[in-house]
Amino acid sequence: MRGLFASSPALGPFAALVVAVVFFSVATDTFFNLDNFSFVVQQSVVIGTLALGQTLIILTAGIDLANAAIAVFGTVLVTRLALGGMPSPVALVLGIVGCTLVAALSGGLVTRLKLPPFIVTLGMLAVMTAVTSLYSQGTTWPVPDGLLTVLGTQLYLFGQIQMTIGMGVALVLFVVVWVMLARTAWGRHVYAVGDDKEAARLSGINIDRTLLSVYALAGLVYGIAAWLAMGRTPTADPNAYQTGNLDSITAVVIGGTSLFGGRGGVAGTVVGALIVAVLRSGLTQMEIDSNYQNLATGVLVIAAVAFDQITRRRSA
Amino acid sequence: MTEPVLAAKGLRKRYGRVTAIDGADFELYPGEVLAIVGDNGAGKSSLIKALTGALIPDAGEMWLDGKPLRLHSPIDARRYGIETVYQSLAVSPALDIATNLFLGREIRRGGFLGFLRLLDRPAMRKQAREQLDALGIATVQDITQTVETLSGGQRQAVAVARAAMFGSKVVIMDEPTAALGVRETEHVLDLIKRIRERGLPVVLISHDMPAVFEVADRIHVHRLGKRAGVVSPAEVSMSDVVSFITGAKAVPV
């Protein structure tokens, strides 16, 4: 049994997700319903995508406290550029490049100055929050319609299932990152660096280059999260997603990725993000106070990390 | 006399007032197992680091197949076909055996999928399997299992297999039996013999006298930062070698 969990680490979280869905379907009349499922997924798209970038960094035994702040900076940057008359595609590309560069700067500080990722990204969180606040002049800007909000467009699959274009984009992004991690040498190196840095170095892996590429790719993912966020709410609000960093870490950890690096992956993160959304939606429909929702999420995070610790200790 | 595969003359390395290598010489001949023995602090590790590019000597020369050799990093040494099994093992516990064998030297798919940098996992698994079979590592059944599920001896076997797989000139092993039990030690010594059978010379750094006497063709005694001499295990006893190491007896020339 333990071997099974070790070989496919997303299995435990997936079982938990199934249990939660079954439980809420039985406990409420409203939960088991395609529209509700669609709503749950739509709600988890932005945090889920932030968690995708976060997963990459946590796999290298790092952490990114600035991810949501970077994405919010992205929304304000793109919106102000577009409102200033720049064509939307150019503004969007510049925004995504901007997010990539900011995250790569974190990666540069981690690799060049050998600073702990926690401290670097804590600093970047404060810096980016301030930069965004100054740049937005403290107000919320309306996102121009069109390309920038297109990901919020709703479609009906088979005339039944409500979807957004953003859901499709996020899905493709997850699949691409999954393939990169599981099926390329780069992906194997990301795991090796997170697992045992010294062993990776002696195997001839360029640790700094691998880490830098991880932060840059995470930044690119945050940029796409910014695009998704503008589709979801067509405003660029400097105060949005203030707990996005912690929510994304929650999704990653519940999804079974180890904070010690080298174990886990994006499949678990999808499940982790869905578990949080299902829990929130289900408890809301059971008319349980949102404070208890936070409490339940907190307990789940601790349980997930404890499970990780125990399985590691036994296998070591 | 045949030409040494790997040789060094007059190597020196100083760290401030400490002399780690004090004019050391070294020769490794084709197809032999050369043991390096010496007390802690005698400079065995420094000598090995110089031969594997982990340390750049202040003076002295090295040759590989008779050609002058200059190493700037361990990656350099690997490029020349000098593979090292480190005492710390250098395997990634969370990755599977096949991935570990190819870590840093993965095989890509051909054509467009290769352009997309996708890995050829079947080819890597097949070669990994062949390599383990060729070395008689039968205890490992599933090469897709993670290294952390293996015993210490099996992990050592994976590290040795990797070195044997990519080492085209020399395989260097730093204390490969230090952390192992009796049976696992036997197993690693068998691996060393198999590598020698393939014609690949092995440098074995070890404190384990019975192990040295079992596999070594020649014993390089290192003392006070240089080579005190080379002896044949057929001509001296274990206690003689211990005396050479401590300096209680002079090494016969």
Side-chain angles (χ1 to χ4, degrees):
Chain A
M1 192 68 173
R2 206 179 302 136
L4 195 64
F5 282 123
S7 61
S8 34
L11 215 61
F14 185 74
L17 176 63
V18 171
V19 169
V21 169
V22 169
F23 173 78
F24 289 120
S25 301
V26 173
T28 70
D29 299 333
T30 47
F31 189 84
F32 192 80
N33 162 326
L34 274 182
D35 282 345
N36 185 55
F37 286 161
S38 168
F39 184 65
V40 167
V41 176
Q42 284 181 41
Q43 269 193 324
S44 40
V45 161
V46 175
I47 293 297
T49 305
L50 288 174
L52 176 62
Q54 185 76 259
T55 307
L56 287 166
I57 289 172
I58 289 182
L59 279 177
T60 66
I63 197 146
D64 193 351
L65 298 174
N67 62 348
I70 294 172
V72 169
F73 165 73
T75 64
V76 174
L77 177 63
V78 172
T79 302
R80 287 214 54 186
L81 289 176
L83 289 174
M86 189 179 276
S88 303
V90 180
L92 181 62
V93 168
L94 282 181
I96 293 174
V97 168
C99 290
T100 308
L101 290 178
V102 173
L105 177 60
S106 299
L109 292 168
V110 168
T111 53
R112 296 283 158 231
L113 299 183
K114 310 280 175 217
L115 299 176
F118 183 91
I119 296 302
V120 168
T121 59
L122 183 64
M124 288 301 272
L125 166 64
V127 169
M128 291 319 291
T129 305
V131 166
T132 307
S133 196
L134 290 167
Y135 184 50
S136 68
Q137 296 161 358
T139 58
T140 298
W141 298 75
V143 181
D145 272 341
L147 177 72
L148 302 184
T149 58
V150 73
L151 297 187
T153 311
Q154 293 188 334
L155 306 168
Y156 284 86
L157 214 60
F158 313 118
Q160 292 280 329
I161 307 166
Q162 196 193 58
M163 294 263 306
T164 61
I165 296 179
M167 279 161 67
V169 168
L171 183 68
V172 169
L173 197 59
F174 269 91
V175 170
V176 167
V177 174
W178 181 83
V179 170
M180 288 176 75
L181 279 176
R183 295 285 186 269
T184 70
W186 175 83
R188 303 286 83 193
H189 296 175
V190 170
Y191 278 88
V193 167
D195 190 20
D196 186 333
K197 236 183 206 175
E198 187 57 17
R201 194 180 65 78
L202 292 174
S203 299
I205 293 171
N206 186 330
I207 305 221
D208 283 358
R209 205 167 60 195
T210 305
L211 281 177
L212 201 58
S213 69
V214 162
Y215 281 86
L217 179 63
L220 182 84
V221 172
Y222 303 153
I224 294 171
W227 190 18
L228 289 161
M230 290 186 290
R232 214 171 138 62
T233 19
T235 52
D237 176 1
N239 298 316
Y241 297 104
Q242 281 183 343
T243 61
N245 52 0
L246 300 181
D247 294 342
S248 70
I249 294 167
T250 301
V252 173
V253 168
I254 290 178
T257 294
S258 170
L259 286 172
F260 303 99
R263 287 148 217 267
V266 299
T269 299
V270 175
V271 175
L274 288 177
I275 288 178
V276 175
V278 162
L279 212 59
R280 290 201 178 278
S281 163
L283 291 174
T284 306
Q285 286 169 48
M286 286 174 77
E287 292 171 8
I288 289 171
D289 191 320
S290 69
N291 284 317
Y292 286 102
Q293 299 178 11
N294 292 336
L295 193 147
T297 314
V299 169
L300 210 54
V301 169
I302 293 170
V305 176
F307 183 77
D308 173 39
Q309 275 278 33
I310 290 162
T311 49
R312 273 170 59 91
R313 221 174 285 146
R314 285 193 185 146
S315 64
Chain B
M1 191 150 179
T2 48
E3 192 182 34
V5 179
L6 185 61
K9 199 160 183 55
L11 291 183
R12 266 173 220 287
K13 180 72 185 180
R14 290 174 65 95
Y15 296 102
R17 283 156 61 190
V18 180
T19 304
I21 315 178
D22 188 15
D25 300 336
F26 173 89
E27 284 109 29
L28 175 71
Y29 289 97
E32 72 170 350
V33 175
L34 175 72
I36 299 184
V37 298
D39 214 347
N40 290 334
K44 292 178 307 230
S45 294
S46 298
L47 172 65
I48 288 312
K49 282 182 180 164
L51 295 171
T52 58
L55 169 164
I56 298 168
D58 304 327
E61 288 176 273
M62 298 192 284
W63 295 269
L64 183 68
D65 282 337
K67 290 188 209 82
L69 176 69
R70 288 199 165 274
L71 300 172
H72 304 286
S73 73
I75 314 288
D76 261 4
R78 279 173 36 159
R79 224 170 275 143
Y80 283 110
I82 303 170
E83 279 288 325
T84 311
V85 179
Y86 297 94
Q87 206 172 348
S88 59
L89 278 185
V91 286
S92 273
L95 295 175
D96 67 53
I97 296 168
T99 305
N100 260 293
L101 281 176
F102 284 93
L103 197 59
R105 289 182 275 219
E106 292 81 358
I107 303 175
R108 266 196 236 159
R109 289 245 273 249
F112 180 67
L113 291 173
F115 173 73
L116 290 178
R117 305 192 167 256
L118 291 191
L119 294 174
D120 192 343
R121 296 201 303 166
M124 291 197 292
R125 285 180 184 166
K126 187 163 159 283
Q127 285 190 29
R129 181 78 266 171
E130 285 167 4
Q131 179 69 14
L132 294 184
D133 288 346
L135 289 172
I137 304 172
T139 52
V140 174
Q141 288 175 356
D142 178 7
I143 53 163
T144 60
Q145 74 189 88
T146 57
V147 165
E148 67 198 350
T149 61
L150 303 176
S151 69
Q154 289 173 321
R155 288 185 202 197
Q156 186 66 258
V158 170
V160 172
R162 179 168 64 178
M165 195 164 181
F166 294 101
S168 54
K169 298 283 185 197
V170 180
V171 172
I172 297 174
M173 298 191 200
D174 191 4
E175 298 278 2
T177 60
L180 302 182
V182 178
R183 266 181 52 205
E184 295 189 317
T185 297
E186 239 2 90
H187 191 70
V188 169
L189 296 181
D190 279 343
L191 286 177
I192 294 173
K193 290 176 194 163
R194 283 214 179 77
I195 293 172
R196 174 175 54 192
E197 279 164 25
R198 292 177 163 194
L200 200 58
V202 177
V203 180
L204 170 68
I205 299 100
S206 187
H207 275 111
D208 182 352
M209 281 305 151
V212 166
F213 271 75
E214 187 180 335
V215 295
D217 298 305
R218 295 190 307 136
I219 301 171
H220 167 138
V221 180
H222 212 73
R223 196 174 133 68
L224 304 174
K226 56 178 155 259
R227 181 169 69 181
V230 179
V231 294
S232 159
E235 292 162 10
V236 295
S237 69
M238 285 192 206
S239 57
D240 288 337
V241 172
V242 172
S243 307
F244 301 150
I245 290 170
T246 56
K249 270 195 215 170
V251 184
V253 183

